[in-house]
């Protein structure tokens, strides 16, 4: 289960995309550097590309970790909001 975010870094007022390599149900979690969960979103089948907006998610400038869990597979990566 791999996870790609683009663009990275993300501008606060622009959308960013999360590309998943599978089409099963995914649990997507965005956490801040302290480990606090900011977003916990379940994405249903056939969603390979997810588009989100930092302002809509109430993200401030900073570094975040995004994790994606699908069954026993888990992957994570960091991204920056400018």
């Amino acid at each position: 289960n791999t996870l790609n975010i683009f663009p990275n870094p993300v501008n606060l007022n622009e959308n960013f995309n999360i590309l998943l390599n599978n089409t099963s149900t995914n649990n997507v979690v965005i956490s801040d550097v302290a480990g606090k969960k900011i977003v916990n979103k379940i994405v249903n089948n056939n969603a390979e590309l997810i588009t989100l907006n930092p302002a809509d998610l109430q993200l401030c400038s900073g570094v975040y970790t995004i994790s994606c869990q699908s069954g026993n597979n888990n992957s994570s990566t960091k991204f920056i909001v400018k």
Side-chain angles (χ1 to χ4, degrees), residues 31-55:
S31 305
D32 64 14
V33 290
K36 179 182 174 189
K37 288 183 182 178
I38 307 294
V39 175
N40 190 356
K41 183 176 182 79
I42 294 181
V43 180
N44 292 325
N45 295 347
N46 299 321
E48 292 180 352
L49 183 68
I50 305 165
T51 301
L52 300 173
N53 184 288

Side-chain angles (χ1 to χ4, degrees), residues 13-45:
N13 58 351
E14 294 179 357
N15 289 343
F16 66 99
N17 297 292
I18 304 166
L19 181 63
L20 305 168
N21 75 340
N22 66 57
T23 55
S24 61
T25 301
N26 294 280
N27 185 34
V28 176
V29 177
I30 298 175
S31 305
D32 64 14
V33 290
K36 179 182 174 189
K37 288 183 182 178
I38 307 294
V39 175
N40 190 356
K41 183 176 182 79
I42 294 181
V43 180
N44 292 325
N45 295 347

